[in-house]
Amino acid sequence: MDSRSRRDILKLSSIVIMAGLAGCTSQREPTSDAINQEQKTRIEELEALVKSKDKQIEELHREDSISEFSTDIIERAETMARDARNATVTVGGEGGSGGTGWILDANKGYVVTNSHVVIDNNSFSIQTFDGDSSSATRIGYYEDMIPDVALLQMDLEGIQELPIGDRSNLTKDDPLVTIGHPGTIGNWIMTLGRHKEYDEVFDTLYSTVPTSRGNSGGPLLTLEGNVVGVVSGSRLANDSEDDFSKSDVLYTQLPERDKLTTSAPVETLLESVDEWT
């Protein structure tokens, strides 16, 4: 039995349980305190069972999303990312603008993010995973967002920085991780994908690491925890040429085209930092 069919069965069982709950919450007057307590106990048992089934469904969804990776890779990625979260921050500007940042140099308080995150402001609010906050000033960025990297400076002490890797050591399909703040999901979200290619013409790394609005500026990490890129956005994958014209399907949600996440190589970032500091 595949995971999808198991998930469907779990959903069905949850519906049956909910039906049982509905039966237990009848508006008829109880005949005694004992019966009333028995109904209350039964309702609590069924509610606990529904929560258990829902948890199993979530776990199966998770299995579907990461099934292409071995258990060893998943465990290594999770362990590394949980540690790297301590060096990943939220970057907030005026008017609701913001994104993700990460600590490049703890002693100097250098925070890396994207130019498009900081282009409209000079000062920013920073928050760490532990909940510490600080103001930060813009040290350098590019108005044309080429490359889409920027540098801030804050004055927090006792912060953790991320080690720098080497883009040239990447090979196709190497596992990669990012940590970011996709606003519709939450903050410090860890995602796992694969390296696809380095585009020398556009000086861009392409990967399948899932990202969304708010991930901008986040670190692209190897399983060893080394930064190889700065997440900047996405583009359609080369094979995303599906044409849904004249489809007979009545969509309740538009189909999504496959996208690749774009990142500026860490070497390009370091060259910019040398220019600004």
Side-chain angles (χ1 to χ4, degrees):
M1 181 182 295
D2 62 25
S3 60
R4 188 170 300 280
S5 59
R6 284 184 290 149
R7 187 163 60 247
D8 291 341
I9 289 173
L10 283 169
K11 287 181 178 179
L12 180 60
S13 64
S14 292
I15 293 172
V16 172
I17 293 169
M18 292 303 293
L21 277 172
C24 286
T25 55
S26 169
Q27 297 300 312
R28 291 178 295 176
E29 291 293 327
T31 57
S32 68
D33 290 340
I35 293 175
N36 189 45
Q37 182 59 42
E38 182 180 347
Q39 286 181 331
K40 182 179 179 181
T41 301
R42 181 56 178 160
I43 289 171
E44 290 175 349
E45 291 174 349
L46 290 171
E47 286 177 338
L49 189 55
V50 168
K51 289 181 180 179
S52 175
K53 296 294 184 184
D54 287 343
K55 184 177 180 180
Q56 292 180 57
I57 291 170
E58 289 179 3
E59 289 174 350
L60 288 172
H61 274 300
R62 185 173 183 275
E63 288 177 11
D64 287 346
S65 66
I66 61 179
S67 59
E68 67 170 288
F69 297 97
S70 68
T71 301
D72 176 64
I73 288 177
I74 294 166
E75 290 178 351
R76 289 174 60 193
E78 288 179 337
T79 299
M80 179 279 295
R82 288 186 184 122
D83 182 60
R85 288 186 303 189
N86 295 314
T88 308
V89 301
T90 62
V91 178
E94 296 179 0
S97 64
T100 302
W102 51 276
I103 311 302
L104 173 67
D105 189 319
N107 292 327
K108 296 179 179 178
Y110 286 164
V111 176
V112 172
T113 188
N114 287 148
S115 284
H116 79 256
V117 170
V118 304
I119 195 168
D120 293 326
N121 298 280
N122 292 312
S123 60
F124 304 85
S125 61
I126 302 292
Q127 186 175 55
T128 69
F129 184 75
D130 290 332
D132 295 327
S133 59
S134 172
S135 59
T137 56
R138 191 176 64 194
I139 301 298
Y141 77 110
Y142 297 103
E143 289 189 2
D144 60 4
M145 295 175 282
I146 302 175
D148 195 359
V149 295
L151 186 67
L152 308 177
Q153 188 170 34
M154 63 177 183
D155 59 4
L156 278 179
E157 296 181 354
I159 53 177
Q160 176 181 318
E161 65 186 31
L162 291 176
I164 299 302
D166 187 341
R167 183 271 305 167
S168 65
N169 289 334
L170 292 175
T171 58
K172 186 176 181 180
D173 291 332
D174 277 351
L176 293 173
V177 172
T178 195
I179 303 159
H181 313 298
T184 58
I185 301 175
N187 295 328
W188 288 280
I189 303 299
M190 308 177 295
T191 52
L192 172 66
R194 295 188 185 277
H195 170 63
K196 284 305 173 187
E197 64 176 327
Y198 168 65
D199 188 329
E200 188 172 358
V201 174
F202 293 100
D203 191 31
T204 299
L205 293 170
Y206 295 115
S207 71
T208 63
V209 180
T211 57
S212 185
R213 184 176 182 182
N215 277 105
S216 296
L220 188 66
L221 301 152
T222 64
L223 293 188
E224 291 71 36
N226 299 320
V227 180
V228 290
V230 184
V231 174
S232 57
S234 64
R235 73 161 174 81
L236 291 179
N238 292 332
D239 56 356
S240 298
E241 298 177 353
D242 296 327
D243 187 350
F244 300 98
S245 301
K246 300 183 179 179
S247 171
D248 290 328
V249 176
L250 178 62
Y251 294 108
T252 57
Q253 181 177 339
L254 289 177
E256 294 186 2
R257 298 182 183 274
D258 292 334
K259 291 183 179 180
L260 294 176
T261 290
T262 59
S263 303
V266 70
E267 290 81 2
T268 301
L269 164 71
L270 295 179
E271 290 176 2
S272 298
V273 171
D274 287 342
E275 176 186 326
W276 295 325
T277 59

